Amino acid sequence: MRGKFITFEGGEGTGKSTQSGLLAKRLRGFAIGVVQTREPGGSLGAEIIRHVLLSGAAKPLGPEAEAMLFAAARADHIKTTITPALERGKWVICDRYIDSTRVYQGAAGNVDPRFISGLERLIVGDVMPDLTLILDIDPQIGLARAAARRNDASVDRFEQEKLDFHVKLRDAYREIAAANPDRCVLIDAQGTPDVVTTAIWKVVEKRLAPATAPVSLEGAAS
Ligand code: Z5A
């Protein structure tokens, strides 16, 4: 039986990585096999492309080219990580996926939505998330969290963008949540990590019923 596919989305510092890890741990407690992954990245080829994108090396090529590079990374990630895991009955938790392209390259980067949806049709097909948790936060708080975590390390390609770019991201994520209520749930990410974890768990329990999932024969730790 195919596993479930959960994606986390949101702007900078919303707590996606923190909450992905906590959800993976909780699901493993139900003997569900979980693969925790991220985009861009999550496979050998995609991690190479991640470096090109986040270093800013591809920025001069323009947002369409960046969208194609994110799509190329996604193609490898789907083929080598996501699909095989789902077919083995694992639950896949992915930090960012298609909505990041829609929002960063589309809404904030002004790439034509037809271009984005064309790439999506070609690359993603029916490998769509069962549930997308969109962590929502005032961008100033998110950027401050990301800066505090980074300490003195240099900012990446997208963290360098100005505040109005991050406000556009938030608005676009909210629009996606409103337009796709069957797949997406907006989560208030401003509370403490515990409060956010509780809100997420309520949604996962209600929508995906992990307590009734088949026990993984391959072991829950993988
Ligand atoms: N991108 C794109 O443009 N197009 C695409 O198609 C895809 C991606 C797939 C990937 O960056 C970049 O690629 C991303 C979009 C673009 N833009 N940027 N920059 P990344 O993978 O390096 O990082 P990220 O995805 O943006 O994550 P993040 O912003 O760095 O963080 P986060 O995962 O959302 O949050 P976190 O690491 O869990 O938490 C951040 C800090 O806050 C940390 O110190 C936590 O301990 C703290 N934290 C977490 N939760 C809380 C709460 N609730 N309260 C207080 N503090 C908290």
Side-chain angles (χ1 to χ4, degrees), residues 8-20 22 38-41 50 53-54 66-67 69-71 74 95-105 135 137 141-150 155-160 165-166 169 173 188-197:
F8 276 85
E9 293 279 359
E12 318 303 301
T14 45
K16 299 174 297 298
S17 315
T18 305
Q19 295 299 333
S20 309
L22 291 168
R38 67 168 180 186
E39 288 207 349
R50 175 185 175 90
L53 281 161
L54 297 196
E66 286 184 311
L69 285 168
F70 279 111
R74 184 162 300 136
D95 194 339
R96 298 194 178 282
Y97 194 57
I98 50 167
D99 300 301
S100 287
T101 310
R102 293 180 183 184
V103 164
Y104 279 76
Q105 283 66 53
L135 304 196
I137 203 172
I141 298 177
L143 287 168
R145 281 186 191 170
R149 182 207 45 204
R150 193 169 56 239
V155 292
D156 75 26
R157 152 79 180 89
F158 295 96
E159 286 169 343
Q160 283 169 7
F165 178 89
H166 294 280
L169 298 177
Y173 271 126
D188 180 353
Q190 228 140 281
T192 63
D194 280 355
V195 168
V196 180
T197 302

Coordinates of all heavy atoms in Angstrom, one line a residue, residues 8-20 22 38-41 50 53-54 66-67 69-71 74 95-105 135 137 141-150 155-160 165-166 169 173 188-197, ligand 1:
F8 N 6.0 20.3 3.9 CA 6.0 21.5 4.7 C 6.3 22.6 3.8 O 7.3 22.5 3.0 CB 7.0 21.4 5.8 CG 6.5 20.6 7.0 CD1 6.6 19.2 7.1 CD2 5.9 21.3 8.1 CE1 6.1 18.5 8.2 CE2 5.5 20.6 9.2 CZ 5.5 19.2 9.3
E9 N 5.6 23.7 4.0 CA 5.9 24.9 3.2 C 5.8 26.1 4.1 O 5.3 26.1 5.2 CB 4.9 25.1 2.0 CG 4.9 24.0 1.0 CD 6.1 24.2 -0.1 OE1 6.8 25.3 0.0 OE2 6.2 23.4 -1.0
G10 N 6.4 27.2 3.6 CA 6.3 28.5 4.3 C 7.6 29.3 4.0 O 8.5 28.8 3.4
G11 N 7.6 30.6 4.5 CA 8.7 31.4 4.2 C 9.9 31.1 5.1 O 9.9 30.0 5.8
E12 N 10.9 32.0 5.2 CA 12.1 31.7 5.9 C 11.8 31.7 7.4 O 11.0 32.5 7.9 CB 13.1 32.9 5.7 CG 13.3 33.4 4.3 CD 13.6 32.3 3.3 OE1 14.7 31.7 3.5 OE2 12.9 32.1 2.4
G13 N 12.5 30.8 8.1 CA 12.4 30.7 9.6 C 11.1 30.4 10.1 O 10.8 30.7 11.3
T14 N 10.2 29.8 9.3 CA 8.9 29.5 9.9 C 8.9 28.3 10.8 O 7.9 28.0 11.4 CB 7.8 29.3 8.7 OG1 8.4 28.5 7.7 CG2 7.4 30.7 8.1
G15 N 10.0 27.5 10.7 CA 10.1 26.3 11.6 C 9.8 25.0 10.8 O 9.6 24.0 11.5
K16 N 9.9 25.0 9.5 CA 9.7 23.8 8.7 C 10.6 22.6 9.1 O 10.1 21.5 9.3 CB 9.8 24.1 7.2 CG 8.9 25.2 6.7 CD 9.2 25.5 5.2 CE 10.6 26.1 5.0 NZ 10.8 27.4 5.7
S17 N 11.9 22.9 9.2 CA 12.8 21.8 9.5 C 12.5 21.3 10.9 O 12.5 20.0 11.1 CB 14.3 22.3 9.4 OG 14.5 23.0 8.3
T18 N 12.3 22.2 11.8 CA 12.1 21.8 13.2 C 10.8 20.9 13.2 O 10.8 19.8 13.8 CB 11.8 23.0 14.1 OG1 12.9 23.9 14.0 CG2 11.6 22.7 15.5
Q19 N 9.7 21.3 12.6 CA 8.5 20.6 12.7 C 8.5 19.3 11.9 O 7.9 18.3 12.3 CB 7.3 21.5 12.3 CG 7.1 22.7 13.2 CD 6.7 22.2 14.7 OE1 6.2 21.2 14.9 NE2 7.1 23.1 15.6
S20 N 9.3 19.3 10.7 CA 9.4 18.0 10.0 C 10.0 17.0 10.8 O 9.5 15.8 10.8 CB 10.3 18.2 8.7 OG 10.0 19.3 7.9
L22 N 10.1 16.7 14.1 CA 9.3 16.3 15.2 C 8.1 15.4 14.7 O 7.8 14.4 15.4 CB 8.7 17.6 15.9 CG 9.7 18.4 16.7 CD1 9.1 19.7 17.1 CD2 10.2 17.6 17.9
R38 N 14.1 16.8 1.8 CA 14.0 18.3 1.6 C 14.2 18.7 0.1 O 14.8 17.9 -0.7 CB 15.0 19.0 2.4 CG 16.5 18.7 1.9 CD 17.5 19.7 2.5 NE 18.8 19.4 2.0 CZ 19.9 20.0 2.5 NH1 19.8 20.9 3.5 NH2 21.1 19.8 2.0
E39 N 13.7 19.9 -0.2 CA 14.0 20.4 -1.5 C 14.5 21.9 -1.4 O 14.1 22.6 -0.5 CB 12.8 20.4 -2.4 CG 12.4 19.0 -2.8 CD 11.6 19.0 -4.1 OE1 11.2 20.1 -4.6 OE2 11.5 17.9 -4.7
P40 N 15.4 22.3 -2.3 CA 16.0 21.5 -3.3 C 17.0 20.5 -2.6 O 17.6 20.9 -1.6 CB 16.8 22.5 -4.2 CG 17.0 23.7 -3.3 CD 15.9 23.8 -2.4
G41 N 17.1 19.3 -3.1 CA 18.0 18.3 -2.6 C 17.2 17.0 -2.4 O 16.2 16.7 -3.1
R50 N 21.2 21.9 -5.7 CA 20.9 22.8 -4.6 C 22.1 23.7 -4.4 O 21.9 24.9 -4.2 CB 20.8 21.9 -3.3 CG 20.6 22.7 -2.0 CD 20.5 21.9 -0.8 NE 20.5 22.7 0.4 CZ 19.4 23.1 1.0 NH1 18.2 22.8 0.5 NH2 19.4 23.9 2.0
L53 N 22.0 26.5 -6.9 CA 20.9 27.4 -6.7 C 21.2 28.3 -5.5 O 21.0 29.5 -5.6 CB 19.6 26.7 -6.6 CG 19.0 26.2 -7.9 CD1 18.0 25.1 -7.6 CD2 18.4 27.4 -8.6
L54 N 21.5 27.7 -4.4 CA 21.6 28.5 -3.1 C 22.8 29.3 -3.0 O 22.9 30.3 -2.2 CB 21.4 27.6 -1.9 CG 20.0 26.9 -1.8 CD1 19.8 26.4 -0.4 CD2 18.8 27.8 -2.2
E66 N 16.2 29.5 -13.1 CA 16.2 29.0 -11.7 C 15.0 28.0 -11.5 O 15.2 26.9 -11.0 CB 16.1 30.1 -10.7 CG 17.4 30.9 -10.5 CD 17.3 31.9 -9.4 OE1 16.4 32.7 -9.4 OE2 18.3 32.0 -8.6
A67 N 13.8 28.4 -12.1 CA 12.7 27.5 -12.0 C 13.0 26.1 -12.7 O 12.6 25.1 -12.1 CB 11.5 28.1 -12.6
L69 N 15.9 24.8 -13.0 CA 16.9 24.0 -12.2 C 16.2 23.4 -11.0 O 16.5 22.3 -10.6 CB 18.0 25.0 -11.7 CG 19.1 25.3 -12.8 CD1 20.0 26.4 -12.4 CD2 19.9 24.1 -13.2
F70 N 15.3 24.2 -10.3 CA 14.5 23.5 -9.2 C 13.8 22.3 -9.8 O 13.7 21.3 -9.1 CB 13.6 24.6 -8.6 CG 14.2 25.5 -7.6 CD1 14.3 26.8 -7.9 CD2 14.7 25.0 -6.4 CE1 14.9 27.7 -7.0 CE2 15.3 25.9 -5.5 CZ 15.4 27.2 -5.8
A71 N 13.2 22.4 -11.0 CA 12.5 21.3 -11.6 C 13.4 20.1 -11.9 O 13.0 19.0 -11.6 CB 11.8 21.8 -12.8
R74 N 14.1 18.5 -8.7 CA 12.8 17.8 -8.3 C 12.7 16.4 -9.0 O 12.3 15.4 -8.4 CB 11.6 18.7 -8.5 CG 10.3 18.1 -8.0 CD 9.3 19.2 -7.8 NE 9.8 20.2 -6.8 CZ 9.7 21.5 -6.9 NH1 9.1 22.0 -8.0 NH2 10.2 22.3 -6.0
D95 N 10.5 18.8 3.2 CA 10.7 20.2 3.6 C 10.7 21.0 2.3 O 11.8 20.9 1.6 CB 12.0 20.3 4.4 CG 12.1 21.7 5.1 OD1 11.4 22.6 4.7 OD2 12.9 21.7 6.0
R96 N 9.6 21.6 1.8 CA 9.4 22.3 0.6 C 9.2 21.3 -0.6 O 9.8 20.3 -0.7 CB 10.6 23.2 0.2 CG 10.9 24.3 1.2 CD 11.8 25.4 0.6 NE 12.1 26.5 1.5 CZ 11.2 27.5 1.7 NH1 10.1 27.5 1.1 NH2 11.5 28.5 2.6
Y97 N 8.3 21.8 -1.5 CA 8.1 21.0 -2.8 C 7.5 22.0 -3.8 O 7.9 23.1 -3.8 CB 7.1 19.8 -2.4 CG 7.0 18.8 -3.4 CD1 8.0 18.1 -3.9 CD2 5.7 18.4 -3.9 CE1 7.9 17.0 -4.9 CE2 5.5 17.4 -4.8 CZ 6.6 16.7 -5.3 OH 6.4 15.7 -6.2
I98 N 6.5 21.6 -4.5 CA 6.0 22.4 -5.6 C 5.5 23.8 -5.3 O 5.7 24.7 -6.1 CB 4.8 21.7 -6.3 CG1 3.7 21.2 -5.3 CG2 5.2 20.5 -7.2 CD1 2.4 20.9 -6.0
D99 N 5.0 23.9 -4.1 CA 4.4 25.3 -3.7 C 5.6 26.3 -3.6 O 5.4 27.5 -3.8 CB 3.6 25.2 -2.4 CG 2.4 24.3 -2.6 OD1 1.6 24.5 -3.5 OD2 2.3 23.2 -1.9
S100 N 6.8 25.8 -3.2 CA 7.9 26.7 -3.1 C 8.2 27.3 -4.5 O 8.5 28.5 -4.6 CB 9.2 26.0 -2.6 OG 9.0 25.8 -1.2
T101 N 8.1 26.5 -5.6 CA 8.4 27.0 -6.9 C 7.2 28.0 -7.3 O 7.5 29.1 -7.9 CB 8.4 25.9 -8.0 OG1 9.3 24.9 -7.5 CG2 8.9 26.4 -9.3
R102 N 6.0 27.6 -7.0 CA 4.9 28.5 -7.3 C 5.0 29.9 -6.7 O 4.7 30.9 -7.3 CB 3.5 27.9 -6.8 CG 3.1 26.6 -7.5 CD 1.8 26.1 -7.0 NE 1.4 24.8 -7.6 CZ 0.3 24.2 -7.3 NH1 -0.6 24.7 -6.4 NH2 0.0 23.1 -7.9
V103 N 5.5 29.8 -5.4 CA 5.6 31.1 -4.6 C 6.9 31.9 -4.9 O 6.8 33.0 -5.2 CB 5.4 30.7 -3.2 CG1 5.9 31.8 -2.3 CG2 4.0 30.3 -2.9
Y104 N 8.1 31.2 -4.8 CA 9.3 31.9 -4.9 C 9.6 32.3 -6.4 O 9.9 33.5 -6.6 CB 10.5 31.1 -4.4 CG 10.7 31.1 -2.9 CD1 9.8 30.3 -2.1 CD2 11.7 31.8 -2.3 CE1 10.0 30.3 -0.7 CE2 11.8 31.8 -0.9 CZ 11.0 31.0 -0.1 OH 11.1 31.0 1.2
Q105 N 9.5 31.4 -7.3 CA 9.7 31.7 -8.7 C 8.5 32.4 -9.4 O 8.6 33.3 -10.2 CB 10.2 30.5 -9.5 CG 11.6 30.1 -9.3 CD 11.9 29.6 -7.8 OE1 11.2 28.7 -7.4 NE2 12.9 30.2 -7.2
L135 N 3.3 26.7 7.0 CA 3.6 27.4 8.2 C 3.6 28.9 8.0 O 4.3 29.4 7.1 CB 4.9 26.9 8.8 CG 5.1 25.4 9.1 CD1 6.2 25.2 10.0 CD2 3.8 24.8 9.6
I137 N 3.7 32.9 9.2 CA 4.3 33.7 10.2 C 4.6 35.1 9.6 O 4.8 35.3 8.4 CB 5.6 33.1 10.7 CG1 6.0 33.6 12.1 CG2 6.7 33.3 9.8 CD1 7.1 32.8 12.7
I141 N 9.4 38.2 11.8 CA 9.7 37.3 12.8 C 10.5 36.1 12.2 O 11.5 35.6 12.8 CB 8.4 36.8 13.6 CG1 7.7 38.0 14.2 CG2 8.7 35.7 14.6 CD1 6.4 37.6 14.9
G142 N 10.0 35.6 11.1 CA 10.7 34.5 10.5 C 12.1 34.8 10.1 O 13.0 34.0 10.4
L143 N 12.3 36.0 9.5 CA 13.7 36.4 9.1 C 14.6 36.6 10.4 O 15.7 36.2 10.3 CB 13.6 37.7 8.3 CG 13.1 37.6 6.9 CD1 12.8 38.9 6.3 CD2 14.0 36.8 6.0
A144 N 14.0 37.1 11.5 CA 14.8 37.2 12.7 C 15.2 35.9 13.2 O 16.3 35.7 13.7 CB 14.0 38.0 13.7
R145 N 14.2 34.9 13.2 CA 14.6 33.5 13.6 C 15.7 32.9 12.8 O 16.6 32.3 13.3 CB 13.4 32.6 13.5 CG 12.3 32.7 14.6 CD 11.3 31.7 14.4 NE 10.1 31.8 15.2 CZ 9.0 31.1 15.0 NH1 9.0 30.2 14.0 NH2 8.0 31.3 15.8
A146 N 15.6 33.1 11.4 CA 16.6 32.5 10.5 C 17.9 33.2 10.8 O 19.0 32.5 10.8 CB 16.1 32.7 9.1
A147 N 17.9 34.5 11.1 CA 19.2 35.2 11.3 C 19.8 34.8 12.6 O 21.0 34.6 12.7 CB 18.9 36.7 11.3
A148 N 19.0 34.6 13.6 CA 19.5 34.1 14.9 C 20.1 32.7 14.8 O 21.2 32.5 15.4 CB 18.4 34.1 16.0
R149 N 19.5 31.9 14.1 CA 20.0 30.5 13.9 C 21.3 30.5 13.1 O 22.3 29.8 13.4 CB 19.0 29.6 13.1 CG 19.4 28.2 13.0 CD 18.8 27.6 11.8 NE 18.9 28.5 10.6 CZ 18.1 28.4 9.6 NH1 17.1 27.5 9.5 NH2 18.2 29.3 8.6
R150 N 21.4 31.4 12.1 CA 22.5 31.5 11.3 C 23.8 32.0 12.0 O 24.9 31.7 11.6 CB 22.2 32.5 10.1 CG 23.1 32.4 9.0 CD 22.5 33.2 7.8 NE 22.1 34.6 8.1 CZ 20.9 35.1 8.0 NH1 19.9 34.3 7.6 NH2 20.7 36.3 8.3
V155 N 24.2 34.8 4.4 CA 22.9 34.5 3.9 C 22.9 33.8 2.6 O 23.8 34.0 1.8 CB 22.0 35.8 3.8 CG1 21.8 36.4 5.2 CG2 22.7 36.8 2.9
D156 N 21.8 33.0 2.3 CA 21.8 32.4 1.0 C 21.0 33.3 0.0 O 20.6 34.4 0.3 CB 21.2 30.9 1.1 CG 19.7 30.9 1.3 OD1 19.0 31.8 0.9 OD2 19.3 29.8 1.8
R157 N 20.9 32.7 -1.3 CA 20.3 33.5 -2.4 C 19.0 34.1 -2.1 O 18.8 35.3 -2.5 CB 20.2 32.5 -3.6 CG 19.1 32.7 -4.6 CD 19.5 33.7 -5.6 NE 18.5 33.9 -6.6 CZ 17.5 34.8 -6.4 NH1 17.4 35.5 -5.4 NH2 16.6 34.9 -7.4
F158 N 18.1 33.4 -1.4 CA 16.8 33.9 -1.2 C 16.6 34.7 0.1 O 15.8 35.6 0.2 CB 15.7 32.8 -1.3 CG 15.7 32.2 -2.7 CD1 16.4 31.1 -2.9 CD2 15.0 32.8 -3.7 CE1 16.4 30.5 -4.2 CE2 15.0 32.3 -5.0 CZ 15.7 31.1 -5.2
E159 N 17.5 34.4 1.1 CA 17.4 35.2 2.3 C 17.9 36.7 2.1 O 17.6 37.6 2.8 CB 18.3 34.6 3.4 CG 17.7 33.3 4.0 CD 18.6 32.5 4.9 OE1 19.9 32.7 4.8 OE2 18.1 31.6 5.6
Q160 N 18.6 36.9 1.0 CA 19.1 38.2 0.7 C 18.1 39.2 0.2 O 18.2 40.4 0.2 CB 20.2 38.1 -0.5 CG 21.5 37.6 -0.1 CD 22.3 37.3 -1.3 OE1 21.9 37.6 -2.5 NE2 23.5 36.8 -1.1
F165 N 9.7 41.2 -0.7 CA 9.7 39.9 -1.4 C 9.1 38.8 -0.4 O 8.3 38.0 -0.8 CB 11.2 39.5 -1.7 CG 11.4 38.2 -2.4 CD1 11.4 38.0 -3.7 CD2 11.7 37.1 -1.6 CE1 11.6 36.8 -4.3 CE2 11.9 35.8 -2.2 CZ 11.9 35.7 -3.5
H166 N 9.5 38.9 0.8 CA 9.1 37.9 1.8 C 7.6 38.1 2.2 O 6.9 37.2 2.4 CB 9.9 38.0 3.1 CG 11.4 37.6 2.8 ND1 11.7 36.2 2.7 CD2 12.5 38.3 2.5 CE1 13.0 36.2 2.4 NE2 13.5 37.4 2.3
L169 N 5.8 36.4 -0.6 CA 5.8 35.0 -0.4 C 4.6 34.6 0.6 O 3.9 33.6 0.3 CB 7.1 34.5 0.3 CG 8.4 34.7 -0.5 CD1 9.6 34.3 0.4 CD2 8.4 34.0 -1.8
Y173 N 1.5 32.1 -0.4 CA 1.2 30.9 0.4 C -0.2 30.9 0.9 O -0.9 29.9 0.9 CB 2.2 30.7 1.5 CG 3.5 30.0 1.1 CD1 4.7 30.6 1.4 CD2 3.4 28.7 0.5 CE1 5.9 29.9 1.0 CE2 4.6 28.1 0.2 CZ 5.8 28.6 0.5 OH 7.0 28.0 0.1
D188 N -0.7 28.4 12.0 CA -0.1 29.5 12.7 C 1.2 29.1 13.3 O 1.2 28.3 14.3 CB -1.1 30.1 13.7 CG -0.6 31.3 14.5 OD1 0.6 31.7 14.3 OD2 -1.3 31.9 15.3
A189 N 2.3 29.6 12.8 CA 3.6 29.2 13.3 C 4.3 30.2 14.3 O 5.5 30.1 14.5 CB 4.5 29.0 12.1
Q190 N 3.5 31.1 14.8 CA 4.1 32.1 15.6 C 4.3 31.7 17.1 O 5.0 32.3 17.8 CB 3.2 33.4 15.6 CG 4.0 34.6 15.3 CD 3.4 35.6 14.4 OE1 3.4 35.4 13.2 NE2 2.7 36.6 14.9
G191 N 3.5 30.6 17.5 CA 3.6 30.2 18.9 C 4.9 29.4 19.2 O 5.8 29.3 18.3
T192 N 5.0 28.9 20.4 CA 6.2 28.1 20.7 C 6.2 26.9 19.9 O 5.2 26.4 19.3 CB 6.2 27.7 22.2 OG1 5.0 26.8 22.4 CG2 6.0 28.9 23.1
P193 N 7.4 26.2 19.7 CA 7.5 25.0 19.0 C 6.4 23.9 19.4 O 5.8 23.3 18.6 CB 8.9 24.5 19.2 CG 9.7 25.7 19.5 CD 8.7 26.6 20.2
D194 N 6.2 23.9 20.7 CA 5.2 22.9 21.2 C 3.8 23.2 20.8 O 3.0 22.3 20.4 CB 5.2 22.9 22.8 CG 6.3 22.1 23.4 OD1 7.0 21.5 22.6 OD2 6.5 22.1 24.6
V195 N 3.4 24.5 20.8 CA 2.1 24.9 20.3 C 1.9 24.5 18.8 O 0.9 24.0 18.4 CB 1.9 26.4 20.6 CG1 0.6 26.9 19.9 CG2 1.8 26.6 22.1
V196 N 3.0 24.8 18.1 CA 2.9 24.5 16.6 C 2.8 23.0 16.4 O 2.0 22.6 15.5 CB 4.1 25.2 15.9 CG1 4.0 24.9 14.4 CG2 4.2 26.7 16.1
T197 N 3.6 22.3 17.1 CA 3.6 20.8 17.0 C 2.2 20.2 17.2 O 1.7 19.4 16.5 CB 4.6 20.2 18.0 OG1 5.9 20.7 17.7 CG2 4.6 18.7 17.8
Ligands
Z5A1 N1 13.3 27.4 -3.1 C1 12.8 28.0 -4.2 O1 13.0 29.2 -4.5 N2 12.0 27.3 -5.1 C2 11.8 25.9 -4.9 O2 11.1 25.3 -5.7 C3 12.3 25.3 -3.7 C4 13.1 26.1 -2.8 C5 12.1 23.9 -3.4 C6 15.9 26.6 0.4 O3 16.5 27.1 1.5 C7 15.6 27.9 -0.4 O4 15.2 27.4 -1.7 C8 14.5 28.6 0.1 C9 13.4 28.7 -1.0 C10 14.1 28.2 -2.2 N3 14.8 29.9 0.4 N4 15.6 30.4 1.2 N5 16.3 31.0 1.8 P1 16.9 26.2 2.8 O5 16.5 24.8 2.5 O6 18.3 26.5 3.1 O7 16.1 26.8 4.0 P2 14.5 27.1 4.2 O8 13.7 26.0 3.6 O9 14.2 28.5 3.7 O10 14.4 26.9 5.7 P3 14.7 28.1 6.8 O11 14.0 29.3 6.5 O12 16.2 28.2 6.8 O13 14.2 27.5 8.1 P4 12.9 26.7 8.5 O14 13.2 25.2 8.2 O15 11.6 27.2 8.1 O16 13.0 26.8 10.1 P5 13.8 26.0 11.2 O17 15.2 25.8 10.7 O18 13.1 24.9 11.7 O19 13.9 27.2 12.3 C11 14.6 28.4 12.2 C12 15.1 28.8 13.6 O20 13.9 29.2 14.3 C13 15.8 27.8 14.4 O21 16.8 28.4 15.1 C14 14.7 27.2 15.2 O22 15.3 26.6 16.4 C15 13.9 28.4 15.5 N6 12.5 28.0 15.7 C16 11.8 27.0 15.0 N7 10.5 27.0 15.5 C17 10.4 28.0 16.4 C18 9.3 28.5 17.2 N8 8.0 28.0 17.1 N9 9.5 29.6 18.0 C19 10.7 30.1 18.1 N10 11.8 29.7 17.4 C20 11.6 28.7 16.5

